[in-house]
Amino acid sequence: MAYSSSSSSSCSVCLAFFFFFALLLHGSRAQLSSTFYASSCSNVSAVVRNVVQQAQSSDVRIVASLLRLHFHDCFVNGCDGSILLDNSDSIQSEKDALPNKNSVRGFDVVDDIKTAVENVCPGVVSCADILALAAEASVDLAGGPTWDVLLGRRDGTTANPTAANNMPSPFDDLDTLKQKFSDVGLDDTDLVALSGAHTFGRAQCRFFSSRLYNYSGTGSPDPSLDSTYLATLQQNCPEGGDGTTLNNLDLTTPDTFDNKYFTNLQSNEGLLQSDQELFSTSGASTISIVNSFAGDESTFFQSFASSMINMGNIDPLTGSNGEIRSDCKKVN
């Protein structure tokens, strides 16, 4: 069939619109790049790492806390720095959501990083990218893997406390966890690898005490808990006691990023229900992944780095979308 000049022109217009919308759908990921700040703020990674290292010298927990901030940011509205916003006339903060309130921490260190970065490259680096860089530096400083952080995110101007209340939870069963990860484009390997972040850091008694005394309304402890470990946790978290008491997520090497989290799961010594579910759920696809990571730390490290990049690609704002906040706690 021969095309007239007008139909050819119409076809060209259609193709132009097709590619425009394709760019809208896929452009944000394509625009993220490990060299995004190569000319505008070439030493940003070193600046971030220096502040994180200083904070770690006086607070060994901070590296796990900063990694958690990036996770809690990306799972709500994508990686847009929304977790950092305080309450205001126009913002209902995610900090008050149940998974975050009196739990998520490290905001002061993020502010310190932002100040240090602004002193070198004013108005250039987003708070969302600062979270991504701080997460990578934290893992490295705790003995874990490094990776090329993809950058170019911009900061959101809204928060979503409703979505923050529906994040992956320490009380979730495996099917629920898998669905929540799938909803943001992450698979079972991402789920197990990113759960491996619990190889360092702490958790409050209130996030797992139901396993110790009245699991799923049975009036008995969670049968998947090792009995010796159960006794230790019951001593740390007595029934009716202080729900904010801190416990090591990894009882073996609590401040080191390694693969001991997975060997703990094999010994029924996962602290959170959402941890042990990965290994103790009969027939689960995640069991073989846990075994693989427990048997080879380098395999875990490679998968973790890859999964962090995948998580960092959840719905970033790029181009002219969003903004570069001058203060991470509030919109400009």
Side-chain angles (χ1 to χ4, degrees):
M1 175 180 177
Y3 287 96
S4 67
S5 59
S6 61
S7 63
S8 177
S9 174
S10 298
C11 186
S12 297
V13 171
C14 291
L15 284 172
F17 273 107
F18 172 81
F19 286 118
F20 173 74
F21 285 111
L23 283 172
L24 284 180
L25 288 171
H26 302 292
S28 60
R29 179 170 294 198
Q31 291 176 47
L32 294 184
S33 166
S34 61
T35 60
F36 186 84
Y37 297 112
S39 59
S40 59
C41 195
S42 59
N43 60 340
V44 62
S45 295
V47 173
V48 172
R49 181 187 173 90
N50 182 55
V51 177
V52 173
Q53 192 165 23
Q54 289 179 20
Q56 184 191 29
S57 67
S58 59
D59 178 7
V60 71
R61 295 173 53 203
I62 196 62
V63 286
S65 299
L66 291 171
L67 175 58
R68 187 176 180 220
L69 268 181
H70 184 40
F71 180 93
H72 280 234
D73 181 38
C74 290
F75 266 78
V76 179
N77 284 6
C79 310
D80 65 348
S82 60
I83 181 71
L84 303 173
L85 291 171
D86 283 344
N87 284 312
S88 69
D89 291 341
S90 60
I91 298 291
Q92 186 179 356
S93 178
E94 294 169 16
K95 296 178 182 180
D96 294 327
L98 288 175
N100 299 332
K101 191 175 179 64
N102 299 319
S103 176
V104 172
R105 60 193 293 272
F107 299 107
D108 54 337
V109 177
V110 174
D111 289 339
D112 290 343
I113 297 171
K114 180 64 171 175
T115 298
V117 170
E118 288 293 305
N119 286 340
V120 178
C121 315
V124 172
V125 181
S126 67
C127 300
D129 275 349
I130 283 174
L131 288 179
L133 288 165
E136 190 274 340
S138 294
V139 171
D140 181 31
L141 288 167
T146 62
W147 59 93
D148 291 331
V149 181
L150 301 185
L151 301 165
R153 301 168 191 81
R154 289 169 64 85
D155 296 319
T157 56
T158 60
N160 192 340
T162 300
N165 275 316
N166 196 41
M167 282 191 58
S169 160
F171 309 107
D172 285 342
D173 62 26
L174 183 57
D175 285 341
T176 302
L177 289 170
K178 291 169 74 170
Q179 185 60 56
K180 288 181 178 181
F181 273 70
S182 177
D183 288 345
V184 293
L186 300 178
D187 63 19
D188 289 359
T189 299
D190 295 317
L191 166 60
V192 179
L194 293 173
S195 295
H198 290 168
T199 186
F200 62 174
R202 314 287 185 267
Q204 298 176 21
C205 291
R206 62 192 174 106
F207 291 119
F208 61 87
S209 58
S210 60
R211 300 185 70 203
L212 310 182
Y213 302 101
N214 186 26
Y215 178 65
S216 296
T218 61
S220 301
D222 183 345
S224 69
L225 265 171
D226 173 79
S227 58
T228 302
Y229 187 43
L230 170 64
T232 299
L233 294 177
Q234 288 176 329
Q235 185 174 10
N236 292 347
C237 304
E239 195 166 13
D242 182 359
T244 63
T245 300
L246 294 173
N247 299 258
N248 294 330
L249 280 161
D250 177 348
L251 79 164
T252 310
T253 52
D255 299 315
T256 302
F257 197 99
D258 54 25
N259 70 334
K260 296 298 189 293
Y261 166 85
F262 298 104
T263 58
N264 293 339
L265 297 186
Q266 291 176 322
S267 302
N268 293 325
E269 293 172 331
L271 183 66
L272 306 177
Q273 176 183 337
S274 56
D275 293 328
Q276 197 60 52
E277 288 267 338
L278 300 175
F279 186 75
S280 296
T281 303
S282 179
S285 60
T286 52
I287 295 173
S288 62
I289 306 173
V290 169
N291 288 335
S292 173
F293 293 165
D296 188 343
E297 186 173 85
S298 64
T299 298
F300 165 50
F301 279 11
Q302 291 168 9
S303 291
F304 184 83
S306 177
S307 292
M308 285 296 293
I309 292 170
N310 292 341
M311 185 182 78
N313 275 326
I314 300 174
D315 295 334
L317 299 171
T318 60
S320 60
N321 294 317
E323 63 182 17
I324 305 297
R325 286 184 215 142
S326 57
D327 182 342
C328 291
K329 300 186 295 296
K330 58 186 180 182
V331 298
N332 294 340

